Amino acid sequence: MSKILLRYLTLISILAGLCIIIPQTTFAQVNTINYSNANLENRDFSYTDFVGGTFVAAEMRGTIFQGANLTNAIFTKGVLLKANLEGANLTGALVDRVTLDGANLRNAIFTEATLTRSRFYDADITGADFTDALIDRYQVSLLCKRAYGVNPVTGISTRDSLGCR
């Protein structure tokens, strides 16, 4: 009986060791949406759930993300020229080195997002909420020149969320 108990304890020890060696995040990433290096030009992703999705170096000119849930999504080195993100939730998203020129960002939520080295030339930011977002100072100064409206979900004015004077 002690041999059976010893084998059982050995098996338990091996399984416990594997749980420590193999990180839990490996299992969590199985269902992650990954559109890295994809051509998503003019696609319609309205009201789609992309929580934690990855869009690294993706071509997204004219893509529609209206009302999409992009919480904690990663957009780096992406092109979102004239894209539609109206009402999209990008809370906690990483938007680094992204071109958003001419994009529709009306009522979008960027709370606690990182928007570094990204461009917003001619983007419509009416009602967008940038509360606690990290944005380059130069871009903030440009955005403040056309910051109007109040976000219908958060109730925060665009000017206040950007810290405009």
Side-chain angles (χ1 to χ4, degrees):
M1 195 150 152
S2 64
K3 284 185 180 182
I4 293 173
L5 183 59
L6 184 60
R7 285 182 185 169
Y8 180 72
L9 290 174
T10 304
L11 180 62
I12 297 281
S13 297
I14 291 170
L15 290 173
L18 286 174
C19 288
I20 293 170
I21 294 170
I22 300 171
Q24 294 299 320
T25 54
T26 305
F27 300 113
Q29 293 176 357
V30 173
N31 295 323
T32 300
I33 298 157
N34 189 342
Y35 283 112
S36 295
N37 300 305
N39 184 348
L40 305 174
E41 201 167 345
N42 298 312
R43 298 268 304 266
D44 188 349
F45 293 116
S46 297
Y47 304 97
T48 303
D49 187 0
F50 286 123
V51 173
T54 304
F55 300 86
V56 176
E59 174 63 56
M60 297 170 281
R61 294 171 198 258
T63 301
I64 302 169
F65 287 105
Q66 183 172 356
N69 186 356
L70 297 157
T71 302
N72 297 322
I74 299 171
F75 289 89
T76 57
K77 300 181 185 177
V79 178
L80 282 156
L81 286 169
K82 297 184 179 179
N84 182 353
L85 287 100
E86 183 172 348
N89 185 353
L90 288 102
T91 299
L94 173 62
V95 184
D96 181 59
R97 293 173 282 172
V98 175
T99 303
L100 290 148
D101 298 352
N104 177 0
L105 306 177
R106 292 177 73 88
N107 302 321
I109 301 171
F110 292 99
T111 56
E112 299 178 357
T114 301
L115 305 160
T116 51
R117 298 190 293 178
S118 294
R119 292 182 6 182
F120 302 89
Y121 302 141
D122 298 321
D124 183 353
I125 61 166
T126 305
D129 184 351
F130 295 95
T131 302
D132 296 326
L134 181 60
I135 310 169
D136 298 327
R137 285 186 191 180
Y138 178 70
Q139 287 299 322
V140 170
S141 67
L142 294 176
L143 291 170
C144 282
K145 292 178 182 176
R146 52 196 159 81
Y148 302 100
V150 174
N151 187 281
V153 175
T154 65
I156 305 294
S157 80
T158 302
R159 292 192 64 75
D160 288 345
S161 71
L162 286 166
C164 302
R165 296 179 189 176

